[in-house]
């Protein structure tokens, strides 16, 4: 009986040691598996973060490129607006029946009275004798420079579009000139009828030059037809500042002066 008991005890002890070793190996395997899972999870997190970072960078890069393109387009647009032959001085003609619409962004006679006070029609004042008066040839060049002798449509402030003749006489221009127009001149008192009548429009232009003339608009030391044209196109303020004409208007003026023999 004793040997048998001793043998059983020995086998039980050996079995227990085997189980302990097996349990320890399983624990190690579980730890290794847990570490592998942990590393795998961190790897997936890093991949997701990398993808998100890439997407964010792509969005930011695309946005930056788009903003840069907008800035470039805006700079080109502003550059063109300052070109005499491409931007704000460009003239477009649109057909409207038998009347041509002349659209010009550069300051024309529509702002001739800007530097003067708000005009009010007062009693008749005779034209000053000291102011020069444009000749018939100069008047022809004024019309050529303003509209190329094409009856224009004016967009007067606070008024609907309306014909304003070959001199492109604005409502403010007409009011300024009317101060020294004979009040008995009934046709001249009617803006809509006068500006489309060549002879009446000439009286308005002459009166305007007589009222605001007498100043050298181009700084050449003389007061002659070129100064009358600049006064007509730029108004008294533009004349005083010696503002140049646009390239198209300047070309029209010089061609007309040469054709009419005006020096």
């Amino acid at each position: 009986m004793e040997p048998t008991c001793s043998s059983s005890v020995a086998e039980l002890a050996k079995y227990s040691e085997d189980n302990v070793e097996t349990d320890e190996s399983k624990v190690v395997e579980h730890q290794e598996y847990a570490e592998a899972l942990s590393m795998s999870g961190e790897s997936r997190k890093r991949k997701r973060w990398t993808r998100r970072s890439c997407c964010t960078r792509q969005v930011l890069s695309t946005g930056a490129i788009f903003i840069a393109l907008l800035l470039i387009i805006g700079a080109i647009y502003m550059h063109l607006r300052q070109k005499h032959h491409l931007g704000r001085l460009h003239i477009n003609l649109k057909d409207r029946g038998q009347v041509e619409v002349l659209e010009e962004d550069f300051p024309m006679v529509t702002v001739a009275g800007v530097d003067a006070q708000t005009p009010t029609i007062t009693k008749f004042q005779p034209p000053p004798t000291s102011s020069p008066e444009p000749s018939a040839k100069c008047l022809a060049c004024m019309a050529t420079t303003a509209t190329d002798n094409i009856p224009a449509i004016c967009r007067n402030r606070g008024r609907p579009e309306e014909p304003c003749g070959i001199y492109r006489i604005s409502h403010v221009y007409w009011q300024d000139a009317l101060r020294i127009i004979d009040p008995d001149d009934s046709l001249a008192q009617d803006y809509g009828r006068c500006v489309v009548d060549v002879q009446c429009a000439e009286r308005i232009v002459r009166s305007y030059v007589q009222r605001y003339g007498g100043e050298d608009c181009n700084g050449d030391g003389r007061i002659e037809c070129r100064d009358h044209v600049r006064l007509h196109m730029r108004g008294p303020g533009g004349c005083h500042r010696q503002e140049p004409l646009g390239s198209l208007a300047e070309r029209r003026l010089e061609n007309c002066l040469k054709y009419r023999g005006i020096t």
Side-chain angles (χ1 to χ4, degrees):
M1 293 298 293
E2 291 180 359
T4 301
C5 291
S6 299
S7 177
S8 298
V9 171
E11 288 178 359
L12 180 60
K14 183 179 181 180
Y15 178 76
S16 299
E17 291 175 357
D18 291 339
N19 285 340
V20 170
E21 291 177 358
T22 302
D23 291 340
E24 289 178 352
S25 64
K26 287 182 179 181
V27 169
V28 172
E29 289 178 357
H30 282 302
Q31 289 177 347
E32 292 176 352
Y33 180 72
E35 291 176 357
L37 287 178
S38 176
M39 293 177 63
S40 176
E42 292 178 356
S43 176
R44 285 196 297 271
K45 289 180 180 179
R46 283 197 296 270
K47 289 181 179 179
R48 286 198 298 269
W49 174 255
T50 302
R51 285 197 296 269
R52 290 176 182 175
S53 299
C54 290
C55 292
T56 303
R57 285 196 296 269
Q58 290 177 354
V59 171
L60 292 177
S61 299
T62 304
I65 293 172
F66 180 73
I67 293 174
L69 288 175
L70 288 179
L71 292 175
I72 292 172
I73 293 172
I76 294 173
Y77 174 75
M78 295 302 297
H79 179 70
L80 293 178
R81 292 278 294 180
Q82 295 176 357
K83 289 290 185 180
H84 293 336
H85 61 290
L86 295 176
R88 61 188 178 87
L89 299 178
H90 182 63
I91 296 178
N92 294 321
L93 296 178
K94 298 181 180 179
D95 295 327
R96 290 196 178 183
Q98 297 181 350
V99 180
E100 296 289 337
V101 179
L102 182 63
E103 293 183 337
E104 300 185 72
D105 290 335
F106 60 89
M108 284 279 296
V109 296
T110 54
V111 292
V114 168
D115 295 287
Q117 63 181 6
T118 303
T120 56
I121 300 175
T122 59
K123 64 181 182 179
F124 172 63
Q125 303 173 4
T129 56
S130 60
S131 296
E133 183 175 326
S135 64
K137 290 182 178 180
C138 185
L139 284 171
C141 287
M142 293 171 79
T144 299
T145 305
T147 65
D148 202 18
N149 291 301
I150 299 173
I153 297 292
C154 284
R155 294 169 176 81
N156 294 305
R157 184 175 300 176
R159 297 172 61 90
E161 293 183 2
E162 51 195 333
C164 52
I166 60 174
Y167 291 97
R168 203 168 193 265
I169 299 173
S170 72
H171 193 266
V172 173
Y173 184 109
W174 168 77
Q175 286 182 308
D176 283 346
L178 203 62
R179 293 191 179 193
I180 56 174
I181 290 287
D182 190 341
D184 293 332
D185 188 345
S186 59
L187 182 58
Q189 305 298 321
D190 188 331
Y191 170 76
R193 292 171 53 213
C194 179
V195 294
V196 296
D197 182 270
V198 176
Q199 293 182 351
C200 186
E202 287 179 356
R203 294 199 295 274
I204 295 295
V205 173
R206 287 181 187 275
S207 298
Y208 190 87
V209 173
Q210 287 171 356
R211 180 180 181 188
Y212 292 112
E215 188 169 358
D216 183 9
C217 298
N218 59 357
D220 63 354
R222 299 182 301 166
I223 299 176
E224 32 80 40
C225 187
R226 287 181 176 84
D227 300 296
H228 300 332
V229 174
R230 279 170 171 78
L231 174 63
H232 178 71
M233 298 285 285
R234 296 304 194 202
C239 172
H240 180 72
R241 293 187 294 270
Q242 297 185 358
E243 293 181 359
L245 299 176
S247 58
L248 176 60
E250 188 70 39
R251 187 166 61 251
R252 288 176 177 175
L253 172 59
E254 293 303 322
N255 289 339
C256 182
L257 294 177
K258 183 178 179 180
Y259 176 76
R260 301 282 179 180
I262 303 175
T263 57

